[in-house]
């Protein structure tokens, strides 16, 4: 099995933190906090967007960078089946960032914030050699209703939303619908909320299906058998299995749960089944599926 470095770093940090008093601590798309005597639980995620790692200023407009800074966090909120409530943004601007670039960055971010009911409630401004934005998004769900990645069981079916590989294709070609897909991923917020009562486990696909399904299997202590996932028009199977930044939802459901073929115009496709067996192991079309998704530390 290939070395998955990011997971190891997270595991080491979790060990240092020790016992968690959260409803759910380190390791999922969001942490879950239950205020005393509340009917809702709060979910929190934090996401970093770094120049030349997540975007290039030659190819991304400031509004697109602003959109993406928030969209990534909202995708984690969607993965929990939660509703976004507010966000906090810390951002370091480099010398090249003009005041109009900064204005248009915030315009892009705030347009998505308004469209999704996510208030920008505060943050911090600084400067750095490379543009860096860190966004914390808070969402809410009824107590106990948030979806997790650690609750898939043997026998559950595995599903993905829409198609995969579009963002990787867009990154490779810089044109057409695939490039748009790379620039403007749609956080699947309505779908996430719909799945609250239907899915047994969920997460968003950010680093490629192979790596993210591996993470879901590890967290749930199960293995999985899958078939080729639905491909974005023009994308290769390699891009769909291992390309990052699709921001679709990966979820599991008991076989007796009816999952419609589509929700809100987004296809929901059954791609396989959860099995008992070696935690984290995956097979695709009967053969071991290698993990080649994007890992920041490998
Ligand atoms: Mg995630």
């Amino acid at each position: 099995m290939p070395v998955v470095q990011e997971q190891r770093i997270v595991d080491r940090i979790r060990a240092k933190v020790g016992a968690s008093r959260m409803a759910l601590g380190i390791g999922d798309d969001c942490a879950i906090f239950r205020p005393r005597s509340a009917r809702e639980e709060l979910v929190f995620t934090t996401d970093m967007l770094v120049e030349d790692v997540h975007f290039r200023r030659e190819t991304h407009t400031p509004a697109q960078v602003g959109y993406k800074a928030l969209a990534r966090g909202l995708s984690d909120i969607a993965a929990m089946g939660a509703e976004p409530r507010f966000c906090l943004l810390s951002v370091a601007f480099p010398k090249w960032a003009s005041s109009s670039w900064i204005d248009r960055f915030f315009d892009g971010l705030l347009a998505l914030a308004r469209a999704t009911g996510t208030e920008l409630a505060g943050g911090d401004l600084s400067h750095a050699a490379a543009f860096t934005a860190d966004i914390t998004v808070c969402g809410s769900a009824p107590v106990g209703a948030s979806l997790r990645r650690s609750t898939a069981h043997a026998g559950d079916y595995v599903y993905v939303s829409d198609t995969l590989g579009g963002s990787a294709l867009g990154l490779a070609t810089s044109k057409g619908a695939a490039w748009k897909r790379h620039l403007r991923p749609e956080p699947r917020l309505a779908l996430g909320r719909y799945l609250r009562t239907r899915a047994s486990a969920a997460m968003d696909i950010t680093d490629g299906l192979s790596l993210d399904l591996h993470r879901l299997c590890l967290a749930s202590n199960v293995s999985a058998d899958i078939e080729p996932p639905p491909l974005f028009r023009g994308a290769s199977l390699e891009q769909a299995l291992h390309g990052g930044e699709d921001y679709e939802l990966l979820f599991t459901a008991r076989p007796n749960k009816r999952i419609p073929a589509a929700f809100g115009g987004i296809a929901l496709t059954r791609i396989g089944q959860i099995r008992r067996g070696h935690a984290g192991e995956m097979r695709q079309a009967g053969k071991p599926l290698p993990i080649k998704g994007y890992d920041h530390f490998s």
Side-chain angles (χ1 to χ4, degrees), residues 28-30 45 47 72 75-77 79 149 203-206 212 215 247:
D28 214 302
D29 291 282
C30 292
T45 179
D47 262 284
R72 294 157 39 107
S75 182
D76 281 329
I77 299 289
R149 62 174 69 173
M203 66 183 293
D204 64 335
I205 306 175
T206 55
D212 287 326
R215 288 168 172 157
Y247 297 103

Side-chain angles (χ1 to χ4, degrees), residues 15-276:
K16 286 178 197 285
V17 169
S20 173
R21 283 171 291 135
M22 305 285 288
L24 182 65
I26 293 169
D28 214 302
D29 291 282
C30 292
I32 305 176
F33 178 71
R34 284 187 192 145
R36 292 189 190 97
S37 74
R39 279 175 301 172
E40 286 187 323
E41 57 193 18
L42 300 176
V43 307
F44 291 89
T45 179
T46 180
D47 262 284
M48 202 122 83
L49 190 76
V50 180
E51 181 185 352
D52 292 337
V53 175
H54 301 103
F55 78 94
R56 283 179 208 289
R57 74 182 142 121
E58 295 78 22
T59 51
H60 293 65
T61 69
Q64 287 163 348
V65 177
Y67 177 95
K68 212 161 186 183
L70 177 57
R72 294 157 39 107
L74 289 176
S75 182
D76 281 329
I77 299 289
M80 303 298 285
E83 178 186 351
R85 300 294 290 275
F86 68 89
C87 63
L88 302 168
L89 174 72
S90 290
V91 52
F93 292 106
K95 285 210 175 71
W96 58 255
S98 64
S99 64
S100 87
W101 195 97
I102 293 171
D103 269 354
R104 283 179 290 142
F105 165 80
F106 277 101
D107 288 345
L109 188 143
L110 290 172
L112 180 60
R114 262 177 233 117
T116 55
T118 315
E119 181 178 335
L120 176 59
D124 190 26
L125 297 177
S126 186
H127 55 89
F131 173 94
T132 306
D134 182 60
I135 196 154
T136 298
V137 187
C138 172
S140 65
V143 166
S146 299
L147 293 166
R148 305 173 180 215
R149 62 174 69 173
S150 56
T151 43
H153 297 286
D156 291 358
Y157 290 138
V158 180
Y159 298 82
V160 294
S161 62
D162 205 53
T163 59
L164 303 183
S167 184
L169 174 66
L171 199 58
T173 59
S174 300
K175 59 183 188 204
W179 179 238
K180 193 168 161 246
R181 171 79 170 216
H182 175 74
L183 291 178
R184 284 183 72 85
E186 298 270 343
R188 301 302 190 194
L189 288 163
L191 174 61
R193 287 201 297 276
Y194 173 77
L195 291 175
R196 243 167 14 202
T197 53
R198 291 167 179 84
S200 53
M203 66 183 293
D204 64 335
I205 306 175
T206 55
D207 296 325
L209 177 64
S210 64
L211 181 52
D212 287 326
L213 177 61
H214 172 69
R215 288 168 172 157
L216 183 141
C217 285
L218 274 185
S220 295
N221 200 22
V222 293
S223 70
D225 274 322
I226 62 164
E227 296 300 320
L231 307 183
F232 188 92
R233 196 191 176 95
S236 66
L237 179 60
E238 187 77 7
Q239 286 168 328
L241 287 173
H242 310 299
E245 298 205 277
D246 278 315
Y247 297 103
E248 292 301 336
L249 295 186
L250 167 66
F251 63 96
T252 62
R254 302 297 305 162
N256 60 9
K257 282 276 176 186
R258 202 188 78 82
I259 301 294
F263 172 80
I266 303 159
L268 305 177
T269 308
R270 190 167 104 196
I271 60 163
Q273 194 164 26
I274 296 294
R275 308 275 189 211
R276 248 178 277 282

